[in-house]
Amino acid sequence: MNAKLLVLASGNFVVGVSTFVIAPLLGRIGADLDVSRTAAAQLVVVYALAYALGGPVLTALAGHRPPRQLLFVALAVFGAGNGLTAVAANFPGAVAARVLAGVGAGVYTANALAVARRLAPGDRQGRAVAVVVGGLTTALVLGLPLGAWLGGETGWRLVLGLLSLAAVLPMAAIRLLPAFGGSPAVPLAARVAPLRDRQVLATLLATWLCLTASWTVYNFIDQVLLEATGGDPDRLFPALLVFGAGAVAGNLLAGRLADRFGPDRTIAVVAPGLVVAVLVVPLAAVAMPPALLSIGAWAMLHWMVNVPQQIRVVATAPESAPVVLGLHQSTIYLGISAGGFVGSLGYGLAGRSGIGYAAFLTGLTALTALWWSFRMRHPSRPSPPPTPTHTQAPRQKKVRRS
């Protein structure tokens, strides 16, 4: 395996752990900073919002700079944000520090994926990107449960401090990357131009709402599992391990299903299943056995959304594939951010059960958006021909726009 890709993946691993490990620790963070659990959830909201919006804006402004320079600075900002969060004396200080970390994470991931494509020839670019994204998968399977367990045993400040230090390792290894020149500047207006296409907008809206429903549950996972775990971090560890394993399985299964049956059919099954799962998990998590079973199924369905929706959004604007994929990545983090907000509302109104009901209502809205995205298919734009492993879908009737 290319060592240069592993450098990029290692940075993505640290970014991934920082993204996912906060939610299980929010109860302790809120108690330490003297705010409610609902208020503490805003640390997730601001981080994800900074990632989704700050990353693309800064990449548009500074994308002409050499990639090694951008990656180094992005990791430095990310590390500083985690370090400042770890020593925050109050909640506003922690919020500001999480914004800083989110901006650095967003710039790093966008540029790491761009460099991965430049490191590989055309027929190997997909595998190169998969290696870099593998850092995120490893963060889910190993970094998330270990970080949450360590935070429960020793304190959340130590976890974030270690993440700050961990960013130094990929920063030092960045010098191993080739000294590529900067990419041509892409104005921010050009990056958001595909949103004028109603089919692109409908597809992204469906992704956003599906993931908002799911992240509503995850952002309050410590409260969802409180009855099953009794607040014991040792019992939270296997639940998060199951979540990570389910995420990996779901990601692999989604690719196979999308190849065989097509992305439309795949998401048409996955999305309703996910909506049911986000309602079931909080209701089933009264004891560890049903909690683990429901979490595994939910994690699989959660991570099965991304692959078919990526394929669908590229099919809506194949001439702007890199741009719409960037928009799709931002949409994922908007879902994380919105999930923190929706979960706060549900938890504030009805406690643990309210989290599931808020997620379920959001999921029903997501199904409406998904239906709209199917209706908005361009009659004049043919679908890409299926590969030999695809099942041929029946020809759809043209739909007259209203």
Side-chain angles (χ1 to χ4, degrees):
M1 187 179 294
N2 192 325
K4 298 178 179 65
L5 293 176
L6 291 179
V7 170
L8 298 171
S10 66
N12 220 25
F13 170 79
V14 180
V15 167
V17 175
S18 179
T19 299
F20 299 119
V21 80
I22 284 289
L25 303 176
L26 284 176
R28 293 176 174 84
I29 294 174
D32 194 25
L33 297 178
D34 197 26
V35 296
S36 67
R37 176 58 178 79
T38 302
Q42 304 317 302
L43 293 176
V44 172
V45 173
V46 298
Y47 175 90
L49 201 59
Y51 186 112
L53 302 180
V57 170
L58 290 179
T59 299
L61 294 175
H64 62 285
R65 305 295 301 175
R68 289 199 307 191
Q69 185 181 104
L70 283 175
L71 292 170
F72 185 89
V73 172
L75 280 177
V77 171
F78 166 80
N82 278 288
L84 290 171
T85 307
V87 299
N90 51 49
F91 186 66
V95 168
R98 289 307 285 170
V99 169
L100 193 65
V103 169
V107 174
Y108 176 83
T109 301
N111 285 280
L113 293 174
V115 171
R117 287 191 288 266
R118 295 177 71 173
L119 285 171
D123 61 341
R124 294 180 178 269
Q125 287 187 356
R127 277 170 281 186
V129 169
V131 171
V132 178
V133 174
L136 179 63
T137 305
T138 308
L140 275 168
V141 176
L142 297 177
L144 167 61
L146 287 174
W149 173 81
L150 182 62
E153 294 290 335
T154 64
W156 62 274
R157 294 184 186 273
L158 177 62
V159 172
L160 292 175
L162 290 175
L163 284 172
S164 180
L165 293 176
V168 174
L169 297 177
M171 285 173 64
I174 283 173
R175 61 185 178 82
L176 300 176
L177 299 175
F180 290 131
S183 302
V186 180
L188 186 60
R191 291 178 182 269
V192 299
L195 293 177
R196 299 194 196 101
D197 185 320
R198 287 187 293 172
Q199 191 181 4
V200 172
L201 184 62
T203 305
L204 292 176
L205 183 63
T207 299
W208 175 49
L209 290 171
C210 277
L211 295 181
T212 295
S214 195
W215 284 105
T216 293
V217 176
Y218 181 80
N219 288 335
F220 282 80
I221 192 66
D222 59 323
Q223 298 302 310
V224 168
L225 295 176
L226 187 60
E227 188 171 347
T229 65
D232 184 352
D234 291 335
R235 302 190 71 190
L236 183 61
F237 178 86
L240 295 177
L241 198 62
V242 167
F243 180 85
V248 174
N251 191 55
L252 294 174
L253 183 60
R256 293 179 180 272
L257 291 177
D259 281 345
R260 181 165 185 177
F261 299 107
D264 284 4
R265 291 182 177 182
T266 300
I267 195 64
V269 173
V270 168
L274 180 62
V275 172
V276 173
V278 296
L279 177 63
V280 168
V281 170
L283 298 178
V286 294
M288 285 303 291
L292 293 177
L293 287 174
S294 61
I295 286 171
W298 161 52
M300 286 184 64
L301 291 164
H302 174 111
W303 290 91
M304 289 176 73
V305 169
N306 188 41
V307 172
Q309 285 296 90
Q310 272 193 344
I311 297 171
R312 293 183 70 232
V313 78
V314 169
T316 64
E319 69 285 351
S320 305
V323 175
V324 294
L325 283 174
L327 290 171
H328 187 266
Q329 185 70 15
S330 291
T331 300
I332 292 172
Y333 277 81
L334 287 175
I336 298 175
S337 180
F341 178 74
V342 174
S344 295
L345 290 178
Y347 183 70
L349 291 173
R352 185 168 67 88
S353 60
I355 298 167
Y357 296 136
F360 181 69
L361 291 176
T362 305
L364 293 180
T365 309
L367 296 183
T368 303
L370 184 64
W371 171 81
W372 182 44
S373 75
F374 287 134
R375 294 271 299 176
M376 288 305 303
R377 183 175 289 109
H378 291 293
S380 61
R381 181 180 291 164
S383 299
T387 63
T389 58
H390 283 176
T391 300
Q392 182 68 43
R395 181 173 299 174
Q396 298 190 7
K397 296 181 180 181
K398 295 184 177 180
V399 179
R400 180 176 298 174
R401 294 189 179 186
S402 57

